[in-house]
C-alpha cells in the first residue's frame, strides 16, 4: 500500500514545527498563523507594556500580529527569523505612539525614588541592573533625550534581549549600524550616570 502523501509539516504536532515553517504553512492554511501568535503573544505584549504601558499593550498587541499576518507572504527566512520579524512590527506600532512613551519616561523622571506599586516599565528593568536606585531619574532623562532610533536599538538589545543581528532585522538597518548606535548610546548614558554602565551596573574603565 502506498503511504498517503501530505504537505511537509502540515500534520505535524505544533510543537515540532519551526516558526519559519508555520509562516510558510499559514500562506496556504491561514489558521496556522495562530500558532505563531500563541508562541509570541506574551513576549510581545510584555515588550509593548514596558515601552508604553499595560493598557496600550492590551490594545496594540493584536495590531502587531494582524500586521504580521497580512504581511506573511513577504516573510523571507533567508533574511532572518520570525521573532525579530515580529519585533519589527512591534516597533512600527510603538513609532505611532511615541508620545505615550515620552510621557512615561517623563513621569518616571519626575517620580524617581518614589516608593509606590506602579507596574515596572522598560526603564525600570534597565535600572534593576544597576546598583544605585538614585540613578533612576537621570536614566529616565537620558533615555528620553535619545533619538528614536537610538532608543529602539538600546531597548531591543537590553529589554527584548535580541542579538545585534536580530536588532538589525527588526529595525531593517545594517548590522554595523546596531553596534555603532549601541556604542554611542552607552557613552551618552554613562556620561549622564557618572560612569555607571547603563546595561550591566558598575563602572567602565
Amino acid at each position: 500500500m502506498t503511504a498517503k502523501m501530505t504537505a511537509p509539516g502540515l500534520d505535524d504536532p505544533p510543537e515540532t514545527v519551526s516558526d519559519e515553517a508555520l509562516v510558510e504553512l499559514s500562506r496556504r492554511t491561514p489558521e496556522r498563523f495562530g500558532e505563531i501568535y500563541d508562541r509570541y503573544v506574551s513576549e510581545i505584549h510584555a515588550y509593548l507594556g514596558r515601552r508604553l504601558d499595560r493598557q496600550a499593550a492590551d490594545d496594540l498587541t493584536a495590531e502587531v500580529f494582524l500586521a504580521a499576518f497580512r504581511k506573511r507572504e513577504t516573510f523571507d527566512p533567508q533574511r532572518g527569523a520570525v521573532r525579530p520579524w515580529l519585533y519589527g512590527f512591534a516597533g512600527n506600532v510603538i513609532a505611532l505612539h511615541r508620545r505615550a512613551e515620552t510621557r512615561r519616561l517623563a513621569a518616571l523622571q519626575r517620580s524617581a525614588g518614589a516608593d509606590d506599586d506602579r507596574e515596572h516599565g522598560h526603564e525600570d528593568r534597565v535600572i534593576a541592573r544597576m546598583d544605585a536606585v538614585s540613578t533612576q531619574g537621570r536614566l529616565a532623562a537620558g533615555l528620553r533625550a535619545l533619538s528614536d532610533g537610538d532608543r529602539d536599538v538600546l531597548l531591543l538589545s537590553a529589554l527584548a534581549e535580541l542579538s545585534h543581528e536580530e536588532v538589525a532585522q527588526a529595525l531593517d538597518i545594517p548590522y554595523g549600524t546596531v553596534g555603532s548606535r549601541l556604542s554611542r548610546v552607552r557613552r551618552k548614558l554613562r556620561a549622564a550616570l557618572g560612569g555607571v554602565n547603563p546595561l550591566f551596573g558598575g563602572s567602565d574603565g
Side-chain angles (χ1 to χ4, degrees):
M1 180 181 295
T2 303
K4 180 181 179 181
M5 300 295 292
T6 60
L10 192 60
D11 297 323
D12 292 346
E15 64 273 11
T16 68
V17 182
S18 71
D19 293 343
E20 292 72 25
L22 280 175
V23 174
E24 173 63 30
L25 289 169
S26 74
R27 294 170 181 173
R28 305 190 303 274
T29 312
E31 57 267 27
R32 295 301 296 265
F33 198 84
E35 295 166 47
I36 293 291
Y37 177 90
D38 291 341
R39 290 181 183 185
Y40 290 103
V41 62
S42 295
E43 182 177 340
I44 295 296
H45 181 274
Y47 181 71
L48 291 175
R50 289 162 181 155
R51 290 291 300 265
L52 302 171
D53 56 52
R54 176 173 288 182
Q55 180 60 53
D58 291 344
D59 294 339
L60 300 176
T61 298
E63 289 188 20
V64 172
F65 286 93
L66 180 59
F69 175 78
R70 288 172 172 169
K71 294 286 189 178
R72 68 193 188 282
E73 295 287 347
T74 68
F75 174 72
D76 181 2
Q78 299 300 316
R79 296 185 60 189
V82 169
R83 182 172 179 252
W85 179 67
L86 291 173
Y87 273 100
F89 291 105
N92 292 340
V93 167
I94 289 169
L96 296 175
H97 295 80
R98 289 290 185 190
R99 290 183 181 179
E101 181 174 47
T102 300
R103 286 195 300 269
R104 186 174 180 81
L105 287 169
L108 181 74
Q109 184 180 354
R110 289 192 301 269
S111 62
D115 184 16
D116 58 36
D117 295 325
R118 66 181 180 277
E119 180 190 3
H120 295 317
H122 67 278
E123 57 277 11
D124 299 301
R125 176 164 175 176
V126 177
I127 291 162
R129 300 183 181 185
M130 300 180 179
D131 296 327
V133 176
S134 62
T135 61
Q136 180 170 304
R138 284 181 291 159
L139 177 58
L143 289 172
R144 195 177 170 199
L146 295 175
S147 69
D148 294 341
D150 284 353
R151 192 186 310 144
D152 287 341
V153 167
L154 174 67
L155 296 176
L156 282 170
S157 176
L159 178 61
E161 300 181 349
L162 298 188
S163 67
H164 283 32
E165 184 175 357
E166 289 174 324
V167 173
Q169 182 192 347
L171 298 179
D172 195 22
I173 59 177
Y175 177 90
T177 300
V178 176
S180 62
R181 284 188 184 179
L182 280 175
S183 179
R184 180 172 63 246
V185 167
R186 286 165 177 161
R187 285 197 304 270
K188 288 180 178 179
L189 293 183
R190 279 197 298 268
L193 298 172
V196 175
N197 186 315
L199 296 183
F200 304 106
S203 298
D204 292 344

